[in-house]
PDB file of all heavy atoms in Angstrom:
ATOM      1  N   HIS V  22       3.954   6.182  -4.306  1.00 96.00           N
ATOM      2  CA  HIS V  22       4.626   6.608  -5.498  1.00 96.00           C
ATOM      3  C   HIS V  22       4.078   6.007  -6.756  1.00 96.00           C
ATOM      4  O   HIS V  22       3.978   6.727  -7.784  1.00 96.00           O
ATOM      5  CB  HIS V  22       6.156   6.277  -5.372  1.00 96.00           C
ATOM      6  CG  HIS V  22       6.926   7.156  -4.439  1.00 96.00           C
ATOM      7  ND1 HIS V  22       7.528   8.353  -4.923  1.00 96.00           N
ATOM      8  CD2 HIS V  22       7.194   7.143  -3.120  1.00 96.00           C
ATOM      9  CE1 HIS V  22       8.061   9.043  -3.913  1.00 96.00           C
ATOM     10  NE2 HIS V  22       7.872   8.282  -2.841  1.00 96.00           N
ATOM     11  N   CYS V  23       3.707   4.772  -6.711  1.00 96.00           N
ATOM     12  CA  CYS V  23       3.111   4.102  -7.893  1.00 96.00           C
ATOM     13  C   CYS V  23       1.787   4.738  -8.284  1.00 96.00           C
ATOM     14  O   CYS V  23       1.624   4.980  -9.482  1.00 96.00           O
ATOM     15  CB  CYS V  23       2.920   2.582  -7.639  1.00 96.00           C
ATOM     16  SG  CYS V  23       4.412   1.589  -7.630  1.00 96.00           S
ATOM     17  N   ILE V  24       1.008   5.035  -7.350  1.00 95.00           N
ATOM     18  CA  ILE V  24      -0.252   5.605  -7.673  1.00 95.00           C
ATOM     19  C   ILE V  24      -0.122   7.024  -8.213  1.00 95.00           C
ATOM     20  O   ILE V  24      -0.747   7.395  -9.184  1.00 95.00           O
ATOM     21  CB  ILE V  24      -1.328   5.555  -6.486  1.00 95.00           C
ATOM     22  CG1 ILE V  24      -2.691   5.666  -7.023  1.00 95.00           C
ATOM     23  CG2 ILE V  24      -1.053   6.499  -5.452  1.00 95.00           C
ATOM     24  CD1 ILE V  24      -3.821   5.223  -6.022  1.00 95.00           C
ATOM     25  N   ASP V  25       0.781   7.828  -7.612  1.00 95.00           N
ATOM     26  CA  ASP V  25       0.973   9.160  -8.046  1.00 95.00           C
ATOM     27  C   ASP V  25       1.667   9.264  -9.399  1.00 95.00           C
ATOM     28  O   ASP V  25       1.443  10.161 -10.200  1.00 95.00           O
ATOM     29  CB  ASP V  25       1.822   9.954  -7.019  1.00 95.00           C
ATOM     30  CG  ASP V  25       1.008  10.196  -5.772  1.00 95.00           C
ATOM     31  OD1 ASP V  25      -0.233  10.146  -5.745  1.00 95.00           O
ATOM     32  OD2 ASP V  25       1.695  10.497  -4.716  1.00 95.00           O
ATOM     33  N   LYS V  26       2.530   8.288  -9.722  1.00 95.00           N
ATOM     34  CA  LYS V  26       3.177   8.275 -11.021  1.00 95.00           C
ATOM     35  C   LYS V  26       2.466   7.438 -12.044  1.00 95.00           C
ATOM     36  O   LYS V  26       3.023   7.236 -13.148  1.00 95.00           O
ATOM     37  CB  LYS V  26       4.618   7.811 -10.769  1.00 95.00           C
ATOM     38  CG  LYS V  26       5.479   8.757  -9.987  1.00 95.00           C
ATOM     39  CD  LYS V  26       6.907   8.332  -9.795  1.00 95.00           C
ATOM     40  CE  LYS V  26       7.531   9.318  -8.911  1.00 95.00           C
ATOM     41  NZ  LYS V  26       9.021   9.229  -8.873  1.00 95.00           N
ATOM     42  N   ARG V  27       1.320   6.930 -11.677  1.00 96.00           N
ATOM     43  CA  ARG V  27       0.442   6.199 -12.562  1.00 96.00           C
ATOM     44  C   ARG V  27       1.131   4.912 -13.084  1.00 96.00           C
ATOM     45  O   ARG V  27       0.915   4.483 -14.197  1.00 96.00           O
ATOM     46  CB  ARG V  27      -0.052   7.058 -13.668  1.00 96.00           C
ATOM     47  CG  ARG V  27      -0.759   8.269 -13.221  1.00 96.00           C
ATOM     48  CD  ARG V  27      -1.329   9.165 -14.364  1.00 96.00           C
ATOM     49  NE  ARG V  27      -2.380   8.544 -15.043  1.00 96.00           N
ATOM     50  CZ  ARG V  27      -3.662   8.441 -14.616  1.00 96.00           C
ATOM     51  NH1 ARG V  27      -4.013   8.898 -13.450  1.00 96.00           N
ATOM     52  NH2 ARG V  27      -4.616   7.852 -15.393  1.00 96.00           N
ATOM     53  N   ARG V  28       1.926   4.337 -12.224  1.00 97.00           N
ATOM     54  CA  ARG V  28       2.554   2.971 -12.543  1.00 97.00           C
ATOM     55  C   ARG V  28       1.695   1.865 -11.993  1.00 97.00           C
ATOM     56  O   ARG V  28       1.980   1.267 -10.909  1.00 97.00           O
ATOM     57  CB  ARG V  28       4.028   2.991 -12.000  1.00 97.00           C
ATOM     58  CG  ARG V  28       4.870   4.005 -12.615  1.00 97.00           C
ATOM     59  CD  ARG V  28       6.321   3.861 -12.326  1.00 97.00           C
ATOM     60  NE  ARG V  28       6.648   3.469 -11.005  1.00 97.00           N
ATOM     61  CZ  ARG V  28       7.457   4.051 -10.111  1.00 97.00           C
ATOM     62  NH1 ARG V  28       7.985   5.229 -10.412  1.00 97.00           N
ATOM     63  NH2 ARG V  28       7.663   3.565  -8.915  1.00 97.00           N
ATOM     64  N   TYR V  29       0.575   1.688 -12.612  1.00 96.00           N
ATOM     65  CA  TYR V  29      -0.466   0.771 -12.031  1.00 96.00           C
ATOM     66  C   TYR V  29      -0.079  -0.747 -12.087  1.00 96.00           C
ATOM     67  O   TYR V  29      -0.491  -1.450 -11.212  1.00 96.00           O
ATOM     68  CB  TYR V  29      -1.811   1.010 -12.754  1.00 96.00           C
ATOM     69  CG  TYR V  29      -2.232   2.469 -12.588  1.00 96.00           C
ATOM     70  CD1 TYR V  29      -2.783   3.162 -13.645  1.00 96.00           C
ATOM     71  CD2 TYR V  29      -2.154   3.104 -11.351  1.00 96.00           C
ATOM     72  CE1 TYR V  29      -3.204   4.460 -13.470  1.00 96.00           C
ATOM     73  CE2 TYR V  29      -2.594   4.400 -11.144  1.00 96.00           C
ATOM     74  CZ  TYR V  29      -3.095   5.116 -12.214  1.00 96.00           C
ATOM     75  OH  TYR V  29      -3.486   6.412 -12.072  1.00 96.00           O
ATOM     76  N   GLU V  30       0.657  -1.166 -13.143  1.00 97.00           N
ATOM     77  CA  GLU V  30       1.038  -2.573 -13.085  1.00 97.00           C
ATOM     78  C   GLU V  30       1.967  -2.813 -11.931  1.00 97.00           C
ATOM     79  O   GLU V  30       1.968  -3.891 -11.226  1.00 97.00           O
ATOM     80  CB  GLU V  30       1.766  -2.965 -14.437  1.00 97.00           C
ATOM     81  CG  GLU V  30       0.647  -2.952 -15.512  1.00 97.00           C
ATOM     82  CD  GLU V  30       1.290  -3.375 -16.865  1.00 97.00           C
ATOM     83  OE1 GLU V  30       2.394  -4.038 -16.912  1.00 97.00           O
ATOM     84  OE2 GLU V  30       0.629  -3.221 -17.927  1.00 97.00           O
ATOM     85  N   GLU V  31       2.935  -1.916 -11.628  1.00 98.00           N
ATOM     86  CA  GLU V  31       3.758  -2.063 -10.525  1.00 98.00           C
ATOM     87  C   GLU V  31       3.077  -2.056  -9.198  1.00 98.00           C
ATOM     88  O   GLU V  31       3.301  -2.745  -8.324  1.00 98.00           O
ATOM     89  CB  GLU V  31       4.902  -0.975 -10.546  1.00 98.00           C
ATOM     90  CG  GLU V  31       5.864  -1.096  -9.464  1.00 98.00           C
ATOM     91  CD  GLU V  31       6.993  -0.023  -9.552  1.00 98.00           C
ATOM     92  OE1 GLU V  31       7.065   0.668 -10.585  1.00 98.00           O
ATOM     93  OE2 GLU V  31       7.708   0.108  -8.561  1.00 98.00           O
TER      94      GLU V  31
END
Side-chain angles (χ1 to χ4, degrees):
H22 281 271
C23 287
I24 201 166
D25 289 340
K26 294 181 180 191
R27 306 182 65 79
R28 296 191 324 235
Y29 300 136
E30 288 183 18
E31 184 178 345

